[in-house]
């Protein structure tokens, strides 16, 4: 068992990898991004917030349809 460096929960790395891949379809590599230090819950929450922040930045740059609520929430 590994211990999550964010929430302190003990977790099983292969279960966390599976859960993470189920969420993001293997687009992002759990091992590369979070190694054996972050549980699935924290890794998924972190990736979702990164994706949303990236999207908000794209909206500011005009690369995505602008959504005021999204930008206010994430930037
Ligand atoms: Zn955690």
């Amino acid at each position: 068992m590994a211990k999550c460096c964010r929430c302190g929960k003990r977790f099983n790395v292969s279960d966390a990898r599976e859960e993470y891949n189920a969420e993001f379809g293997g687009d992002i590599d759990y091992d590369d991004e979070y190694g054996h230090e972050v549980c699935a819950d924290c890794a998924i929450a972190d990736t979702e917030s990164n994706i949303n922040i990236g999207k908000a930045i794209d909206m500011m740059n005009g690369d995505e349809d602008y959504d005021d609520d999204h930008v206010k929430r994430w930037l």
Side-chain angles (χ1 to χ4, degrees):
M1 293 291 268
K3 192 173 172 207
C4 177
C5 68
R6 305 210 180 176
C7 67
K9 187 171 85 177
R10 294 206 159 272
F11 68 103
N12 181 303
V13 174
S14 60
D15 287 352
R17 184 186 299 117
E18 242 173 64
E19 205 178 310
Y20 188 85
N21 286 340
E23 189 73 23
F24 297 107
D27 285 349
I28 304 157
D29 194 293
Y30 171 79
D31 293 279
D32 272 4
E33 296 290 326
Y34 300 103
H36 297 163
E37 293 176 340
V38 185
C39 75
D41 290 345
C42 294
I44 290 168
D46 187 66
T47 301
E48 276 176 347
S49 96
N50 284 343
I51 289 171
N52 283 321
I53 290 166
K55 219 170 144 189
I57 291 168
D58 285 348
M59 285 175 183
M60 298 296 286
N61 292 335
D63 295 332
E64 283 250 13
D65 289 339
Y66 193 81
D67 176 347
D68 199 43
D69 288 343
H70 186 95
V71 171
K72 283 202 179 113
R73 179 162 173 215
W74 295 101
L75 286 184

